[in-house]
Amino acid sequence: MLVVLDPGHYGKYNQSPVLKSFYESEFNWKMTYYMKQYFEEMGIKVKLTKYSSSLDLPVYNRGLLAKGADIFLSIHSNACDDSNVDYPVVIRGFDQKSTDNLALALAELISETMDTWQEGRTYVRKKTNRNDEWYGVLRGARAVGVKYRYIIEHSFYTNKKSALWLSNENNIKKLAKLECELIAQYFGYKKFADSISPKKLHLVRVKVDDLNVRKVADWKARPCQVVNKGDVFTIVDTVKPKNGDEKMYKLKSGLYITASKKYVEDFYQ
């Protein structure tokens, strides 16, 4: 088995606006280093797209270096204007729907390990003018025939809690080890399954846009959040709400969403 790891960015790049000591590029390199170490301890061959943190290469060319790989992983942390956003997201190949299970498992693993408020999720994006990847590294990996190609966004460094968590060396080691074990297990390295929870997660995927979420299990309660088609959440309980007969799901975040199959679909991971 061959894993190609792509440490996103170089030097001191993408400084956190909420934690000045944090640079996404530095986290990406540390995470990549530990993942390389853990994969190699398992006997899995690892190749990096670059071997110096001061080296910058075009993103498409980095994807091309994944030729012959079983899986390509580009390591990142995300950013946005809202400091409350913290969900991990794994971006997969837009034309490889069968790789979504592993992508979602990785996103959920990161969410649970980091204890993010928002659920881990997957995402795809392709170019509007042609049938190809939007992201350069994935476009390059697709060009050389890599099926399992991902950009892993480890929460948001614009969220202070996440930036602090990702600044801790022991946390990075723990996360790298768990991700490597999950991937190894997925590809048939069964002996590395011990640290992965054997229980199946009850997940729900939203089927419509603009679906309300509430803080309490009460249909008359004012919505506190709106979610959209494709969003995925972990279910911890099914409850009978106040003021209505339709059941609700309690999410891992503590919020409540409808259990109606008209609006959401259940699956297990």
Side-chain angles (χ1 to χ4, degrees):
M1 182 178 175
L2 173 62
V3 176
V4 173
L5 298 175
D6 174 53
H9 310 302
Y10 70 105
K12 284 186 174 290
Y13 194 86
N14 283 346
Q15 183 182 32
S16 169
V18 294
L19 185 66
K20 297 300 183 181
S21 60
F22 182 92
Y23 288 85
E24 184 205 351
S25 57
E26 293 182 339
F27 161 75
N28 296 343
W29 275 94
K30 288 179 181 179
M31 187 70 179
T32 299
Y33 171 81
Y34 288 121
M35 291 185 75
K36 180 177 184 295
Q37 175 183 313
Y38 290 127
F39 275 132
E40 289 177 341
E41 287 176 359
M42 297 173 184
I44 295 172
K45 186 178 178 181
V46 177
K47 177 182 176 181
L48 303 186
T49 59
K50 47 187 177 175
Y51 286 85
S52 170
S53 61
S54 62
L55 181 64
D56 186 30
L57 293 173
V59 288
Y60 180 75
N61 291 357
R62 280 155 42 196
L64 292 177
L65 292 173
K67 185 176 182 179
D70 294 278
I71 186 169
F72 171 80
L73 305 169
S74 190
I75 308 301
H76 290 266
S77 179
N78 220 335
C80 71
D81 294 333
D82 186 347
S83 62
N84 292 313
V85 174
D86 70 348
Y87 61 83
V89 59
V90 178
I91 305 166
R92 65 162 173 84
F94 78 94
D95 58 347
Q96 296 293 346
K97 188 174 181 180
S98 63
T99 69
D100 195 66
N101 286 341
L102 177 56
L104 185 58
L106 284 166
E108 284 292 334
L109 176 67
I110 297 167
S111 175
E112 290 184 8
T113 306
M114 293 183 64
D115 191 27
T116 61
W117 179 69
Q118 295 166 312
E119 306 292 335
R121 61 198 69 181
T122 62
Y123 179 71
V124 296
R125 188 178 182 185
K126 70 176 183 177
K127 282 185 169 292
T128 54
N129 59 342
R130 69 174 189 269
N131 199 45
D132 206 350
E133 298 282 4
W134 174 268
Y135 300 97
V137 288
L138 298 187
R139 194 160 63 250
R142 180 176 186 260
V144 293
V146 181
K147 178 180 178 180
Y148 288 87
R149 54 185 188 272
Y150 302 122
I151 297 172
I152 305 180
E153 299 281 6
H154 295 84
S155 188
F156 283 71
Y157 62 81
T158 44
N159 177 281
K160 190 168 184 179
K161 178 175 176 285
S162 292
L164 282 167
W165 198 96
L166 295 171
S167 296
N168 184 293
E169 197 86 8
N170 289 330
N171 287 342
I172 300 173
K173 289 180 183 179
K174 177 182 178 181
L175 191 57
K177 186 173 188 290
L178 289 172
E179 288 185 35
C180 290
E181 288 177 337
L182 177 58
I183 291 167
Q185 179 190 12
Y186 184 87
F187 280 92
Y189 288 72
K190 302 297 186 184
K191 64 180 179 179
F192 299 109
D194 292 344
S195 64
I196 308 300
S197 173
K199 68 179 181 180
K200 286 193 172 184
L201 292 175
H202 179 189
L203 306 174
V204 68
R205 182 179 284 113
V206 179
K207 297 168 65 175
V208 298
D209 286 328
D210 302 321
L211 184 64
N212 291 327
V213 176
R214 293 169 169 82
K215 286 186 177 180
V216 294
D218 185 347
W219 285 117
K220 289 189 177 181
R222 179 177 296 178
C224 65
Q225 185 180 336
V226 174
V227 296
N228 293 299
K229 185 176 181 179
D231 288 346
V232 175
F233 303 95
T234 302
I235 305 304
V236 297
D237 199 7
T238 303
V239 300
K240 183 175 170 52
K242 293 175 62 178
N243 300 306
D245 296 326
E246 184 179 294
K247 291 184 178 179
M248 300 179 84
Y249 283 141
K250 183 178 181 180
L251 307 181
K252 191 184 78 170
S253 63
L255 302 179
Y256 294 85
I257 195 171
T258 178
S260 170
K261 301 304 178 284
K262 181 179 177 180
Y263 302 105
V264 298
E265 59 180 343
D266 300 285
F267 63 105
Y268 294 84
Q269 180 66 53

